[in-house]
Amino acid sequence: MKITDQQRELYRTEGYMILPGVIPPAMLEMLREECSYYLGYYDSIMDAKGVQTENISHRGKRYFINNRYRLSNRLWQFIFSDLMAEVARATVGDEAYLFHEQWVVKGAEQGMKFAWHQDSGYVKWYNPTTEHKPYVTCWCTLDDVSEENGTVYLLPHSRGGTKSRIINHTKEDGTNDLIGYTGSDPGDPVIVPAGSIVAFDSFVFHRSGPNQTERMRRIYLPQYSAKPIDRPDGKPWAMATPFLKDGKNIYSHAEDAAERFGPFPETKKESVA
């Protein structure tokens, strides 16, 4: 994949770029399989709690399943791939960290809409003093997306007035969505095939419609930042896994696993008489 100068310029000025059909078929199939596992996993968690709604997830209707990649043996192969390194370099630059990742799934026929917001609006909601630079959201389609199945709508910076600021958001009763825009501009719907990446910066307003089709609408969404984004206590807001340094992919799966689970214990060698 080669990102063109025109795509880079659109991201710089309006905050987004669209890369149709760039995810290799084998990688796309892996993401679909992992998505199926995590949907069942999350339903079981909600069953154990006896709830139908958890934060902004609503069982059978809309799921946001966050920061579970270390539970998978395969997801890191996509998150830290050469493909995603190219996207990260073209958006946040030659130094990049995995900031956050999640599955975003709308259920068949009853998949809920999602209100106008900036992704950074959620960071500011929990940390009002944040002054972070925009990070990049990589909206990766596991299905063909259309207005009928609840695709994303983008409001470019020139129309949203969002190139350099995070808007204060309010919480919507019932859905728990944060809302940052209440104007009349409907935004631009993204119509792309499965295996596409829509990269937009975290200051861009976006929303999505309901899923009115007979099939789920599935998205995988890794996000990368140029610097770690911290909470007021100095700890990372979500994650800060090193990915790029001086433009090179420095991710180490072994080091990442050791940080999460601890190093493997050394085997004691017994002497033989």
Side-chain angles (χ1 to χ4, degrees), residues 14 21 68 111 131 138 151-152 165 192 222:
E14 296 289 14
R68 305 297 210 282
E131 295 181 353
C138 300
T151 193
V152 70
R165 63 186 181 129
V192 291

Side-chain angles (χ1 to χ4, degrees), residues 113-130:
K113 68 174 181 64
F114 197 35
W116 278 117
H117 66 284
Q118 298 166 296
D119 286 340
S120 284
Y122 278 81
V123 178
K124 187 174 182 179
W125 179 265
Y126 293 102
N127 179 13
T129 63
T130 187

Side-chain angles (χ1 to χ4, degrees), residues 187-200:
D188 299 328
V190 175
I191 313 298
V192 291
S196 300
I197 299 175
V198 184
F200 50 90

